[in-house]
Amino acid sequence: MISIFENMFTSGNPNCFKDINNSTEAAVRKLLIESRKIVIFTHKNPDGDAIGSALGLTQALRDRGKDVHVVLPDSAPGFLRWLPAYQDVVIFGYNPEKAKGMVESADLVFCLDFGDTERIGKLEPVVQTFQGPSILLDHHPAGKNFASHNFVYTNKGSTAEIVFSFLDHFDLLEYLNESGATCLLTGIITDTLGFKVASSNPDVFEVTMKLMALGANKDLIFDKVYNQYSADRMQLLGFSLSSRMIIYEKYQAACIYLSIADLERFNHKKGDTEGFVNYPLSMANVRFSVLFTEQDDCIKLSLRSKPDFAVNQIAKKYYEGGGHRNAAGGKFFGTMSDAIKSFENILQVTFDTSGEIVNG
Ligand SMILES: [Mn+2]
C-alpha cells in the first residue's frame, strides 16, 4: 500500500527543471553521480535564503555520500546561526587558506542565490580561477549565467524553493532529512517575508507542505528567525521610525536614514537593521521605501516596493546596484545629506505629484 506521504513525492516537480534539454539533463546527472568533493558558495551578507539553500543542499548531498563544504565570503547574522550544520561553514574572511584549499580540491561547485560573481566579494577571484564544472541555482533577474549549468527561475520567490525542485528532479529528495528541510523552509520563509511577498504561486505551498512533511518545523523557524531581537535592535527600530524616517506623501514614498553614529548609539550588531526598510511599506499610501545605512566607505541602500512599482531599475540606474523587482540594493558615494538630496531628485524625475510614474 502506498502511503499518502510516499504519494506526495511522486506527484511531480513544481514548475522547475521541466524544460531542461537532454544534454544538460545528462551532464548534470553525471556530475551528481561522479563528483566526490563539492563546494557550495553563496553571496556576501548572507540572508536566510542564501544560508538556508546552502545548508539544505549540503545536508542532502552529504547523506548521498558526498564530501560537501559551504564556503561563505562572510558570516551569517546571529538569527541564522542556529541552522543545522551552520557551525561547519567555512568563512573566507576568517580562513582564506582553508577556503582556497577546499575550492582547489573540489570537483564540482554550486553557486546559490546570486547572479553575478561580484556578489561574493573577496571570494570572487577564488571562484573565477576554479576550472571545474559549476551549477548555478538562482532566482535573481539579469544575472550573468556564469556557471557551466545555469538554472535561473526568476518567477520563484526563493532559491531554497529551486534547490528543493533540483533535489526532486535529480532524484536526491530521498536524502533530504528534517535538518535539510528546516534549512530550505527557512530560505522560503525569509525570502517571502513569511509568505507576505513573492509567494503568489501555489507551488511555494506545495514545496512548503513537502518540507513540513519531512519534519521542518515552521513555528520553530518563525520563532528562531523573528523573535530573537535584542533590546538594542528594538530601540534602534523605534528611533528609526520616530526620528529618522521621512515620508514623501506626494510621491507615495518614504526613506529611513541611519548614520554610523546612530548605529553606534544603539550598539548595532550585524543584521540589526534587517527588515527596517519594509516598515514604511506598511503605511497605506507608501509604495516605495528606501533604507540608507552609512558604512565606512559608502552609504548602503536597500530598496523595497509594492508590486506595481519596480525598484531594481532605480537601483541599477542611480545606485550601482540591482536585484528583484520589489527588493533591490545599491550604493551611494557621498554624505548622508547628499544621499537624501539625490533621492529626492530621483523621486521628482520618476513620479509626478499624483504619484504616477513618469520616468520609471
Ligand atoms: Mn534569495
Side-chain angles (χ1 to χ4, degrees), residues 10 36 51 60 64 71 105 109 123 133 137 142 156 163 187-188 211 223-224 233 255 280 291 297 323 337 345:
T10 57
R36 285 188 315 110
I51 299 279
R64 171 68 182 74
V71 176
S105 65
V109 152
L123 258 176
L137 302 175
K156 292 292 172 191
V163 169
I188 290 174
L211 292 170
D223 187 49
K224 290 279 196 185
R233 189 266 183 194
C255 75
L291 171 68
D297 56 341
S337 67
N345 288 335

Side-chain angles (χ1 to χ4, degrees), residues 28 163 190 231 242 268 341 359:
V28 172
V163 169
T190 51
S242 64
H268 173 260
K341 264 184 230 144
N359 189 18

Side-chain angles (χ1 to χ4, degrees), residues 43 47 49-50 113 138-140 157-159 191 324:
H43 59 77
D47 54 15
D49 189 32
D113 201 41
D138 185 33
H139 67 137
H140 291 89
S158 61
T159 295
D191 255 24
H324 303 286

Side-chain angles (χ1 to χ4, degrees), residues 121-142:
K122 291 189 179 117
L123 258 176
E124 187 175 21
V126 181
V127 176
Q128 284 173 340
T129 53
F130 179 71
Q131 298 292 317
S134 51
I135 296 174
L136 168 70
L137 302 175
D138 185 33
H139 67 137
H140 291 89

Side-chain angles (χ1 to χ4, degrees), residues 30-300:
K30 191 163 181 275
L31 281 176
L32 291 170
I33 290 166
E34 291 179 356
S35 60
R36 285 188 315 110
K37 293 192 168 190
I38 298 174
V39 168
I40 299 177
F41 295 112
T42 188
H43 59 77
K44 63 186 170 187
N45 298 319
D47 54 15
D49 189 32
I51 299 279
S53 295
L55 293 175
L57 180 62
T58 297
Q59 181 277 310
L61 293 174
R62 280 184 180 163
D63 276 35
R64 171 68 182 74
K66 309 293 182 186
D67 179 3
V68 189
H69 292 282
V70 176
V71 176
L72 298 179
D74 52 3
S75 56
F79 66 89
L80 293 170
R81 292 187 197 168
W82 61 277
L83 282 168
Y86 177 74
Q87 59 293 347
D88 298 348
V89 163
V90 177
I91 311 290
F92 182 74
Y94 302 152
N95 218 333
E97 293 312 316
K98 191 175 177 188
K100 275 184 206 159
M102 280 172 170
V103 178
E104 277 163 19
S105 65
D107 40 33
L108 173 63
V109 152
F110 276 90
C111 296
L112 303 182
D113 201 41
F114 60 97
D116 185 334
T117 52
E118 190 247 304
R119 291 280 293 119
I120 54 174
K122 291 189 179 117
L123 258 176
E124 187 175 21
V126 181
V127 176
Q128 284 173 340
T129 53
F130 179 71
Q131 298 292 317
S134 51
I135 296 174
L136 168 70
L137 302 175
D138 185 33
H139 67 137
H140 291 89
K144 293 192 172 160
N145 290 340
F146 55 85
S148 332
H149 302 288
N150 301 283
F151 299 110
V152 180
Y153 300 95
T154 57
N155 60 334
K156 292 292 172 191
S158 61
T159 295
E161 188 186 334
I162 300 168
V163 169
F164 178 91
S165 298
F166 178 86
L167 294 172
D168 191 2
H169 183 84
F170 290 102
D171 303 317
L172 293 166
L173 207 50
E174 62 186 290
Y175 300 100
L176 188 69
N177 67 21
E178 182 182 334
S179 300
T182 296
C183 294
L184 294 184
L185 188 53
T186 300
I188 290 174
I189 287 174
T190 51
D191 255 24
T192 61
L193 305 180
F195 304 107
K196 277 190 282 197
V197 300
S199 50
S200 299
N201 190 320
D203 284 353
V204 65
F205 296 99
E206 190 181 339
V207 172
T208 297
M209 178 188 76
K210 290 176 179 177
L211 292 170
M212 288 173 69
L214 280 169
N217 186 335
K218 173 184 71 65
D219 296 352
L220 175 87
I221 295 168
F222 271 96
D223 187 49
K224 290 279 196 185
V225 170
Y226 296 110
N227 298 339
Q228 300 296 325
Y229 297 134
S230 63
D232 282 328
R233 189 266 183 194
M234 292 303 280
Q235 279 157 5
L236 176 62
L237 173 63
F239 172 79
S240 301
L241 298 177
S242 64
S243 305
R244 292 289 184 264
M245 181 166 70
I246 307 172
I247 299 169
Y248 303 96
E249 248 172 80
K250 64 180 179 181
Y251 303 122
Q252 300 180 30
C255 75
I256 293 172
Y257 58 97
L258 292 167
S259 67
I260 290 174
D262 293 335
L263 297 171
E264 281 174 354
R265 181 175 158 198
F266 293 93
N267 303 310
H268 173 260
K269 304 251 175 345
K270 193 176 170 177
D272 276 358
T273 57
E274 191 78 30
F276 282 19
V277 66
N278 298 310
Y279 281 87
L281 288 183
S282 51
M283 285 181 280
N285 294 322
V286 173
R287 60 173 178 170
F288 177 26
S289 168
V290 176
L291 171 68
F292 296 96
T293 320
E294 187 184 12
Q295 307 206 316
D296 290 336
D297 56 341
C298 69
I299 290 171
K300 191 182 133 200

